[in-house]
């Protein structure tokens, strides 16, 4: 039986029929203490969900759904190292990557010796680079580190490097290259000195086309600029679960860092995939990041469902998606340092739960992951927020801000936070026709003008949002925040009954691209392709 067929689901559906379109204005009028009762905190993170369209009664029913869907059992199974990634027959143990002692998950299958040994090797490698003791083939200290990877081998470390850039090494620069488009790598190479550049090729499979092509181009650039006879291995390191492939590429064994098949790409920033990040912020800050995540793991594992942040956050998403009917979810950071959080969460959420077939191969029977999108909130206010306020679509939002800034300019932080809070209020409460009329009358606007403008100036409100307010972007808080979202995704996957840890949906396009590529060189191969693709290829061949 799918969870959508459970009594708990039916009870929520009935509750929703009764709840109807109840407005957040009324919910706050009926319960002025909502801000206190409908918020949770964990260390330096406040999670205020009082502006979600729900009541304590809704939450109780949602917790009932989590129980009916065996969420506690699912959590236990993950932490026990069971093979919950059934289609790939793998355990899901990214939580091991932020632990500091073992055995874990148990004495028989303990992964901690490998995890800790690798972390130790990473720290040594990072320290050497940070101290200027790692030299290129010409004996010059490395000044620039380029992470070549894509998806999970790029987004996580890049996002956290930006989030914690206040802690970055003052002179050693870390760059991220992911795109096949030469327009990313070529301009970067123009700014780099090959004698002082190190490339870290990060690919769990070490077959990903984008990464392999960018790595090959980097190798050719080094060869062309350093001279044919030099030891290029001094300019490469690699992270992979297939070390033999990294060795075949020419990376020395002491510079190949392992990851394991029990960590999914989008959950891997805590592993050696985070090597460039560790180089940027240093092993100590990296450890703090892990410790913050580890404490969130413990909270997730041990806290009763109703007070468990990832559980409550996941359940709110289920309510918005499956009962209120939201098709999208906006992530709106009010902190420049979190500018890559929306794209990181897009992969985390949509690659994990963007599925319509359940673990057992049956249709899920309900909507699953919403379309996750977002942008820095303050910039978005002057761009797409118009639609959030008056477009008539339901778009639940996460507002994420920090009380303290790492870059305090006089007056900026308060102004930023007031905008953040103002948007959550405006979205929730809107402005009625009566309020619009009164304010225009106060401004002595002529009655005929009021009549003409009034419909344009009404804000329906009732747009649900949560606010995640962090005290600051410390490594531990950032670690806890990411782990919070990871576990939220897990909870939703458990409720929808899907395997959140495979990604079969990315395969078809890869296979097709490999069939199309040869047709650029040999047009006769295009005949095997579909008519639209043939036409596109023909257009590319036309003389300009
Ligand atoms: O194509 C999707 C994907 O497999 C992601 O799941 C993964 O994070 C990314 O590609 C990169 O994969 P790899 O680390 O093997 O290069």
């Amino acid at each position: 039986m799918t969870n959508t067929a459970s009594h708990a689901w039916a009870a929520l559906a009935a509750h929703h029929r009764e709840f109807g379109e109840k407005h957040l204005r009324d919910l706050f009028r009926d319960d002025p203490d909502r801000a206190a009762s409908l918020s949770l905190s964990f260390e330096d993170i406040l999670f205020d969900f009082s502006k979600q369209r729900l009541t304590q009664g809704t939450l109780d029913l949602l917790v009932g759904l989590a129980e009916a869907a065996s969420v506690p059992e699912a959590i236990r199974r993950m932490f026990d190292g069971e093979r919950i990634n059934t289609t790939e027959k793998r355990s899901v143990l990214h939580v091991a990557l932020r632990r500091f002692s073992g055995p874990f998950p148990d004495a028989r299958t303990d992964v901690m010796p490998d995890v800790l040994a690798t972390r130790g090797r990473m720290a040594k490698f990072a320290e050497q680079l940070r101290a200027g003791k790692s030299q290129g083939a010409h004996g010059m200290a490395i000044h620039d580190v380029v992470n070549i990877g894509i998806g999970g081998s790029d987004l996580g470390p890049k996002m956290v490097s930006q989030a914690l850039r206040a802690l970055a090494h003052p002179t050693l620069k870390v760059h991220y290259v992911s795109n096949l488009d030469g327009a990313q790598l070529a301009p970067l190479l123009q700014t780099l000195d090959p004698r002082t550049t190190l490339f870290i090729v990060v690919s769990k499979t070490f077959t990903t086309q984008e990464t392999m092509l960018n790595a090959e181009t980097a190798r050719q650039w080094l060869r062309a600029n350093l001279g044919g006879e030099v030891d290029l291995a001094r300019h490469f390191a690699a992270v992979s679960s297939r070390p033999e492939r990294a060795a075949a590429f020419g990376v020395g064994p002491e510079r190949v860092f392992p990851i394991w098949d029990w960590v999914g790409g989008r959950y891997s920033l805590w592993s050696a995939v985070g090597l460039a990040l560790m180089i940027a912020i240093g092993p100590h800050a990296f450890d703090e990041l892990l410790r913050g995540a580890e404490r969130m793991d413990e909270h997730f594992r041990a806290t009763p469902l109703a007070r468990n942040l990832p559980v409550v956050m996941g359940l709110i998403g289920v309510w918005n998606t499956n009962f209120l009917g939201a098709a999208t979810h906006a992530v709106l950071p009010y902190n420049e340092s979190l500018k890559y959080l929306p794209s990181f969460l897009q992969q985390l959420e949509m690659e994990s739960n963007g599925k319509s077939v359940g673990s057992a191969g049956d249709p899920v029977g309900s909507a699953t992951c919403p379309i996750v999108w977002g942008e820095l909130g303050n910039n978005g206010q002057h761009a797409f927020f118009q639609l959030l306020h008056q477009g008539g679509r339901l778009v639940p939002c996460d507002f994420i801000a920090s009380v303290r800034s790492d870059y305090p300019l006089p007056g900026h932080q308060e102004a930023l936070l007031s905008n953040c809070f103002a948007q959550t209020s405006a979205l929730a409460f809107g402005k009625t026709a009566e309020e619009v009329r009164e304010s225009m009358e106060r401004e002595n606007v002529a009655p005929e003008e009021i009549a003409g403008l009034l419909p344009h100036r009404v804000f329906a409100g009732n747009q649900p949002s949560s606010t995640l307010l962090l005290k600051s972007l410390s490594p531990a808080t950032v670690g806890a925040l990411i782990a919070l979202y990871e576990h939220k995704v897990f909870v939703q996957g458990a409720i929808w009954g899907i395997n959140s840890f495979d990604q079969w949906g990315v395969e078809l396009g890869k296979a097709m691209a490999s069939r199309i590529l040869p047709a650029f060189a040999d047009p006769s191969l295009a005949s095997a392709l579909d008519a639209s693709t043939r036409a596109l290829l023909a257009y590319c061949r036309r003389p300009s």
Side-chain angles (χ1 to χ4, degrees):
M1 183 177 81
T2 63
N3 294 321
T4 53
S6 66
H7 287 304
W9 193 278
L12 274 157
H15 173 70
H16 175 246
R17 281 193 293 278
E18 187 193 319
F19 196 84
E21 291 295 301
K22 206 174 264 185
H23 203 286
L24 279 160
R25 277 195 292 266
D26 302 322
L27 294 173
F28 270 84
R29 187 202 54 219
D30 296 348
D31 177 9
D33 292 332
R34 275 175 72 88
S37 58
L38 298 180
S39 61
L40 289 169
S41 59
F42 174 81
E43 297 189 356
D44 285 352
I45 302 178
L46 173 70
F47 175 47
D48 172 3
F49 52 96
S50 61
K51 295 194 194 87
Q52 292 288 347
R53 281 163 52 175
L54 45 70
T55 60
Q56 186 56 51
T58 320
L59 264 191
D60 295 343
L61 290 170
L62 285 166
V63 167
L65 176 65
E67 276 157 2
S70 305
V71 168
E73 173 72 359
I75 297 172
R76 183 198 62 69
R77 294 179 66 212
M78 175 169 73
F79 279 83
D80 281 358
E82 289 188 25
R83 295 193 173 191
I84 59 172
N85 178 356
T86 46
T87 56
E88 297 178 325
K89 301 187 181 60
R90 292 172 181 168
S91 306
V92 173
L93 288 175
H94 51 276
V95 291
L97 298 167
R98 44 247 193 170
R99 293 179 73 94
F100 286 79
S101 61
F104 186 83
D106 55 46
R108 197 175 48 84
T109 55
D110 189 12
V111 297
M112 291 314 296
D114 282 347
V115 169
L116 296 176
T118 303
R119 205 185 293 155
R121 284 183 57 212
M122 286 166 65
K124 212 165 145 202
F125 188 67
E127 289 293 22
Q128 274 197 330
L129 278 156
R130 289 170 61 82
K133 290 185 186 153
S134 184
Q135 292 156 357
H138 289 286
M140 292 169 71
I142 297 294
H143 281 166
D144 288 275
V145 174
V146 183
N147 186 95
I148 297 180
I150 195 164
S153 297
D154 166 70
L155 290 166
K158 182 174 80 171
M159 184 267 288
V160 182
S161 290
Q162 173 74 10
L164 300 179
R165 69 201 157 121
L167 304 175
H169 191 280
T171 53
L172 190 60
K173 298 290 172 225
V174 172
H175 316 265
Y176 290 88
V177 170
S178 56
N179 202 338
L180 259 182
D181 187 348
Q184 189 181 24
L185 182 55
L188 174 64
L189 292 180
Q190 283 169 11
T191 68
L192 298 175
D193 180 342
R195 295 168 303 175
T196 57
T197 300
L198 172 83
F199 294 93
I200 308 180
V201 185
V202 185
S203 176
K204 191 176 162 189
T205 53
F206 230 75
T207 57
T208 303
Q209 184 193 30
E210 290 85 346
T211 303
M212 291 302 106
L213 192 51
N214 279 327
E216 184 50 40
T217 301
R219 179 160 60 183
Q220 284 169 16
W221 175 77
L222 287 169
R223 195 172 283 144
N225 290 286
L226 291 179
E229 298 311 307
V230 302
D231 183 9
L232 291 188
R234 299 185 72 92
H235 293 267
F236 280 102
V239 179
S240 184
S241 65
R242 301 299 299 267
E244 73 287 0
R245 291 181 183 160
F249 181 82
V251 186
E254 71 295 346
R255 284 169 169 234
V256 178
F257 297 85
I259 48 173
W260 305 275
D261 66 1
W262 43 257
V263 53
R266 52 196 175 271
Y267 299 89
S268 66
L269 76 92
W270 325 95
S271 70
V273 168
L275 181 58
L277 166 65
M278 185 193 266
I279 291 166
I281 64 172
H284 176 70
F286 192 86
D287 276 0
E288 287 303 299
L289 177 87
L290 301 185
R291 288 194 190 280
E294 184 189 31
R295 292 197 290 273
M296 180 57 80
D297 295 340
E298 196 43 33
H299 167 86
F300 180 53
R301 202 188 57 74
T303 310
L305 298 181
R307 287 187 287 111
N308 190 313
L309 255 77
V311 170
V312 172
M313 202 170 168
L315 290 172
I316 290 170
V318 168
W319 172 248
N320 286 334
T321 301
N322 298 115
F323 297 95
L324 298 189
T328 92
H329 178 83
V331 178
L332 305 166
Y334 275 71
N335 188 317
E336 182 76 21
S337 300
L338 292 177
K339 75 171 173 185
Y340 297 126
L341 184 65
S343 39
F344 170 78
L345 291 180
Q346 279 183 324
Q347 186 195 14
L348 179 64
E349 303 219 12
M350 296 206 274
E351 202 173 67
S352 296
N353 285 341
K355 297 162 191 169
S356 49
V357 169
S359 298
D362 302 324
V364 172
S366 70
T368 58
C369 185
I371 296 157
V372 177
W373 61 285
E375 177 53 89
L376 287 170
N378 190 222
N379 292 344
Q381 281 174 226
H382 299 272
F384 56 80
F385 271 46
Q386 164 67 36
L387 181 147
L388 301 183
H389 287 291
Q390 291 187 317
R393 290 177 192 269
L394 179 65
V395 185
C397 307
D398 282 357
F399 285 81
I400 303 147
S402 60
V403 178
R404 285 194 297 279
S405 169
D406 288 323
Y407 302 94
L409 290 177
H412 282 246
Q413 188 61 6
E414 294 79 359
L416 181 69
L417 288 176
S418 1
N419 271 281
C420 173
F421 302 161
Q423 291 298 327
T424 68
S425 283
L427 288 169
F429 306 121
K431 193 164 182 182
T432 62
E434 232 164 75
E435 288 165 345
V436 174
R437 181 184 299 285
E438 275 172 24
S439 66
M440 289 177 91
E441 281 172 354
R442 272 199 305 279
E443 291 160 17
N444 293 323
V445 180
E448 57 283 10
E449 204 175 329
I450 294 182
L453 277 181
L454 194 127
H456 301 281
R457 297 187 60 173
V458 168
F459 289 70
N462 218 16
Q463 191 76 283
S465 73
S466 297
T467 304
L468 282 150
L469 194 52
L470 322 175
K471 284 208 175 119
S472 66
L473 284 193
S474 69
T477 302
V478 171
L481 178 73
I482 304 166
L484 166 60
Y485 274 102
E486 285 180 353
H487 295 321
K488 165 211 152 167
V489 167
F490 180 82
V491 169
Q492 294 185 334
I495 288 180
W496 291 321
I498 56 188
N499 175 4
S500 303
F501 300 101
D502 60 13
Q503 55 283 319
W504 298 103
V506 301
E507 296 304 329
L508 180 59
K510 289 184 193 174
M512 285 191 167
S514 69
R515 285 177 54 215
I516 294 169
L517 180 60
F520 276 89
D522 179 356
S524 72
L525 296 174
S527 59
L529 305 171
D530 67 83
S532 168
T533 306
R534 282 201 308 272
L536 293 169
L537 281 165
Y539 188 84
C540 293
R541 280 195 293 272
R542 268 197 229 161
S544 49

